[in-house]
Amino acid sequence: MKKKYISPETIKRLTVYLRHLEILKEQGVEIISSEEITSFLNIPPAQFRKDLSYFGEFGKRGVGYNIENLIKVIKKIIGVDRKNNVVVIGVGRLGSALIGYPGFSKLNINIVGAFDNNPQKIGKVVEGIKIMDIKELKKFVKKNNIKIAILSVPADVAQSVGELAVEAGIKGILNFAHTPLGLPSDINIVNVD
């Protein structure tokens, strides 16, 4: 079966749709049209329908989309329907804040490890997570079958740390370093500013 290429922009929009659908669900809305959902998001209804069409048919013409079903489908598509164990690489102010960020649990992101190269940080505990030496990354990733890393290192070392993460077995990076990463095309990178 041939894999379809799904653009990173589509995946980003899916996360926006998901957040908005969850708000609507909390407000008691059960069915919504593509026009209604996109009117709040400044996205054309045709774009919304095209983004969903990559993954199948989910709405009924003239009726709309069942919000609860659409939430389940989008969560499955973007991988937040199951727990994702993640490591944080770089435990400065930003990395420490990310370790303690409560919003990750809503996305089924479970931070299980933190890594740094600063001897003054190694061994300390942040939000119940012990900071380990970056030299232990590969062993930890392999032992715990980790596929996703959050990169919160300075821009000048981001490329080399990204390469180290890939070498360790990481397949997806949430990049908080303020620089693009040149990594193999099969590595999913989401740049966050």
Side-chain angles (χ1 to χ4, degrees):
M1 182 179 210
K2 189 178 177 184
K3 275 181 142 179
K4 284 190 257 182
Y5 172 75
I6 310 299
S7 75
E9 290 77 23
T10 297
I11 300 300
K12 285 178 189 174
R13 283 191 297 271
L14 287 174
T15 62
V16 172
Y17 302 152
L18 177 60
R19 273 181 280 179
H20 189 64
L21 289 165
E22 287 177 330
I23 290 168
L24 292 171
K25 182 182 173 189
E26 287 174 11
Q27 294 172 351
V29 179
E30 294 177 14
I31 304 289
I32 193 163
S33 71
S34 56
E35 289 80 10
E36 290 170 321
I37 190 168
T38 57
S39 68
F40 298 102
L41 303 174
N42 199 23
I43 296 169
Q47 183 65 63
F48 175 77
R49 291 189 297 270
K50 181 180 177 188
D51 288 342
L52 291 181
S53 73
Y54 285 114
F55 309 100
E57 294 287 325
F58 304 105
K60 291 183 181 171
R61 188 178 293 275
V63 177
Y65 298 88
N66 177 292
I67 288 180
E68 191 167 334
N69 289 341
L70 197 51
I71 287 171
K72 286 178 188 173
V73 166
I74 293 174
K75 281 185 171 184
K76 185 171 183 163
I77 291 167
I78 61 178
V80 295
D81 62 326
R82 61 193 177 279
K83 277 270 188 235
N84 288 290
N85 288 336
V86 175
V87 295
V88 172
I89 305 173
V91 193
R93 276 186 250 147
L94 177 59
S96 296
L98 292 169
I99 290 169
Y101 177 59
F104 283 143
S105 63
K106 286 183 180 179
L107 299 172
N108 275 330
I109 293 174
N110 184 34
I111 296 176
V112 296
F115 296 86
D116 207 292
N117 67 349
N118 184 336
Q120 294 178 335
K121 294 178 185 176
I122 295 167
K124 292 194 175 175
V125 177
V126 175
E127 300 289 332
I129 303 293
K130 184 178 179 183
I131 302 170
M132 293 173 269
D133 192 317
I134 191 72
K135 293 174 188 168
E136 298 177 49
L137 179 66
K138 188 172 187 173
K139 182 176 153 187
F140 186 88
V141 164
K142 187 172 185 174
K143 179 181 176 189
N144 295 287
N145 195 27
I146 307 295
K147 299 295 178 205
I148 303 170
I150 296 173
L151 204 63
S152 58
V153 297
D156 62 332
V157 297
Q159 180 64 39
S160 61
V161 174
E163 290 169 2
L164 184 68
V166 170
E167 185 182 306
I170 295 295
K171 297 295 181 191
I173 295 176
L174 192 56
N175 180 22
F176 282 85
H178 296 285
T179 189
L181 301 175
L183 297 174
S185 61
D186 64 330
I187 304 300
N188 294 308
I189 303 168
V190 176
N191 294 304
V192 182
D193 189 356

